[in-house]
Amino acid sequence: MQDMNESGIPGKAPLGYQLLAQQERRCDTCGQTFVSTILISPTNLVVNVRGRCRCSPTPDEERAYRLQHMCERIEISFGKDNLLKRDGPKLSEVKPKPGQEPALQSLREYLIREPRNTLLLYGPQGRGKTYLALALARELAERQYSVLALKSIDMLSYVRRSTWHPENGTEVLGLLKQVDLLVIDDIGTEKITDWKLETLYAIIDYRYERKRKATVFTSNLTGKEMTARLGGPITSRICGGLQVAVSGKDWRIA
């Protein structure tokens, strides 16, 4: 049974859920009565919705708990390969190098609205795409987003290894699909196989079509090159939101 701590509304069930039972109960801690509702989810899970009482956590406390729990799961599953573990500035602290100013302005405008879309940072190597993507991710982490940033090749390796250990497979894919912000760095550089294309599509499509979760991509490829390597369906979803060109010098060489 899956437990949820939300307000119970007598006689009503969320869209797609079936009301199975509902009763008033008394909290053992504070003595106040609350409504306990049992529902059947669209996927046939039994869901227990506990109504609020005086000692229930506030919505802010619940959000903080969920964020902490998600961050702990990310640390356990991806550890040092999470690129956010690198030191670096938040977007508001970035001092752009020559050529990066238009991209930085576009990212600041992106932050004004709630990020629930795809964002592609593209351009030749060495222009600072990863640097800007991680600065954006740090800014959203400050806003209580759960954030995971991985090299595309590392992300696929984690999924591959998780298939060898079925007990971890659901957790790895679940985090990649459910985290508030997923940064996929250098997409398109991996050696392409049918399995990798299927895996990329499953993750990207789920976030884009079903959950409207924010996903940030960086790539050195042009649109035509990306289509040739990853195919039309994946490229269409990657390019389906905001596209930001990052220009200037190759700062690694400079």
Side-chain angles (χ1 to χ4, degrees):
M1 178 178 288
Q2 179 180 352
D3 289 320
M4 301 169 65
N5 190 4
E6 299 177 0
S7 319
I9 302 177
K12 294 193 176 183
L15 184 64
Y17 285 72
Q18 178 185 349
L19 180 63
L20 187 62
Q22 202 163 46
Q23 63 178 341
E24 283 195 353
R25 300 180 63 186
R26 185 177 297 276
C27 177
D28 294 335
T29 302
C30 68
Q32 188 179 34
T33 59
F34 61 88
V35 176
S36 177
T37 305
I38 300 177
L39 304 168
I40 303 295
S41 78
T43 55
N44 291 321
L45 287 175
V46 177
V47 181
N48 183 19
V49 182
R50 185 193 189 282
R52 291 190 172 279
C53 60
R54 278 190 294 268
C55 64
S56 297
T58 66
D60 286 344
E61 288 171 339
E62 289 181 355
R63 281 192 292 271
Y65 171 78
R66 286 196 295 268
L67 176 62
Q68 180 182 358
H69 182 56
M70 178 68 83
C71 291
E72 289 171 354
R73 290 168 61 198
I74 289 171
E75 173 65 23
I76 291 170
S77 293
F78 299 100
K80 61 182 177 58
D81 287 318
N82 185 359
L83 300 178
L84 271 219
K85 294 178 77 70
R86 299 178 181 177
D87 292 333
K90 299 181 296 184
L91 196 70
S92 56
E93 300 168 340
V94 168
K95 296 179 180 179
K97 295 181 173 66
Q100 292 180 344
E101 295 91 342
L104 183 59
Q105 182 59 33
S106 294
L107 296 183
R108 285 172 175 163
E109 292 172 0
Y110 175 80
L111 279 175
I112 292 173
R113 57 191 182 276
E114 184 183 6
R116 294 181 66 82
N117 204 343
T118 57
L119 167 63
L120 170 63
L121 292 166
Y122 68 94
Q125 67 275 2
R127 268 59 178 181
K129 300 182 295 296
T130 302
Y131 177 78
L132 292 176
L134 295 181
L136 173 69
R138 292 187 194 97
E139 196 76 46
L140 288 173
E142 283 284 312
R143 298 186 187 185
Q144 307 304 301
Y145 278 62
S146 56
V147 180
L148 173 60
L150 295 167
K151 291 285 184 184
S152 179
I153 190 169
D154 290 338
M155 181 184 77
L156 292 168
S157 294
Y158 271 99
V159 178
R160 171 67 80 183
R161 290 198 299 270
S162 73
T163 63
W164 304 337
H165 305 282
E167 67 278 8
N168 298 329
T170 302
E171 175 72 351
V172 167
L173 273 176
L175 286 169
L176 293 171
K177 290 180 176 182
Q178 297 292 342
V179 67
D180 293 331
L181 173 68
L182 176 64
V183 178
I184 304 178
D185 189 39
D186 277 341
I187 193 163
T189 57
E190 57 280 311
K191 183 178 179 180
I192 298 301
T193 65
D194 288 345
W195 178 85
K196 289 178 180 178
L197 289 178
E198 290 170 4
T199 302
L200 284 172
Y201 181 84
I203 295 167
I204 294 169
D205 179 70
Y206 188 92
R207 296 181 62 82
Y208 181 80
E209 294 287 356
R210 301 192 201 179
K211 290 297 182 181
R212 298 292 178 184
K213 296 279 189 179
T215 311
V216 175
F217 304 90
T218 74
S219 181
N220 300 335
L221 303 178
T222 65
K224 288 184 178 179
E225 291 169 339
M226 190 178 294
T227 302
R229 284 189 63 78
L230 302 179
I234 293 176
T235 302
S236 175
R237 286 157 176 77
I238 293 173
C239 299
L242 180 63
Q243 300 178 45
V244 176
V246 184
S247 56
K249 299 178 182 180
D250 185 332
W251 293 104
R252 294 194 189 101
I253 295 176

